[in-house]
Amino acid sequence: MPHPVTELMLQRNSSARLSSPAPDRALLNTLFQTAFRAPDHGLLRPWRYLVIENEGLEKLGELFAASALDAEPELSQAKYDKCLKMPCRAPMVIVAIGCIKEDVKVPEVEQMLSAGVGVGYLLLSLQAEGFGGMWRTGPMAYNTKVHEALGLSASERIVGFLYVGTPEGKAKTIPTHDVDTFVKNWPN
Ligand SMILES: Cc1cc2nc3c(=O)[nH]c(=O)nc-3n(C[C@H](O)[C@H](O)[C@H](O)COP(=O)(O)O)c2cc1C
């Protein structure tokens, strides 16, 4: 029998359909502490997060739509409307930001990996507490207008938009993987 933590990890599943409630701030603070336990070369803490709820989600939608239009002036009305509604797919969006520090020993890729591991922990701890999430990026994560409006500096990157809430409907089937496909001994 796997340990309950191992079992939780085996059952980790993203949830595209999320409704209210999202975790309250007290629980969320504990969940963020799990993200802060990500392995971190040089203890640089190369991450920060923005929590967006309520009218903030509408504002984020307006920002997405305006930024998409700015990037593509010929954007169709349908695509514009889709961007407008995007953040309202969940009651909470957490913007995970990688904050790249100047360091001779720790390159940017390691710092982004560390921030990404934190997002993974956040997803796992959300699920452990009965909530769900979905890690998304897309063009908005790489759009400079979005970066500017969210207050990112030149050394910061969006790791992901984490959509958070209570999973709706039936959970997806967990895929199975053949370990030998991905894992080999070396030397053989
Ligand atoms: C960095 C990153 C960005 C992602 N961006 C998107 C995205 O924009 N849209 C999307 O549908 N899935 C995206 N995904 C994948 C989903 O979060 C999810 O992992 C995938 O649907 C598989 O589901 P599962 O996590 O339950 O296995 C992204 C994953 C990562 C790690």
Side-chain angles (χ1 to χ4, degrees), residues 18-32:
L18 294 156
S19 54
S20 290
D24 63 26
R25 203 36 99 100
L27 177 60
L28 199 58
N29 286 348
T30 302
L31 305 187
F32 275 126

Side-chain angles (χ1 to χ4, degrees), residues 14 42 47 49 58 150 158 173:
S14 302
W47 52 65
Y49 297 88
E58 282 162 41
L150 293 178
I158 290 183
T173 307

Side-chain angles (χ1 to χ4, degrees), residues 12-15 123 134-138 142 159-160 172 174-175:
R12 194 207 58 77
N13 211 347
S14 302
S15 309
L123 278 172
M134 176 109 177
W135 184 344
R136 296 180 186 271
T137 49
Y142 308 103
V159 177
K172 296 195 270 79
I174 305 283

Side-chain angles (χ1 to χ4, degrees), residues 13-21 86 88-92 130-136 163-172:
N13 211 347
S14 302
S15 309
R17 296 180 57 212
L18 294 156
S19 54
S20 290
M86 247 187 237
C88 296
R89 290 179 290 191
M92 177 184 284
F131 294 94
M134 176 109 177
W135 184 344
R136 296 180 186 271
Y163 285 70
V164 174
T166 300
E168 256 184 42
K170 236 180 105 207
K172 296 195 270 79

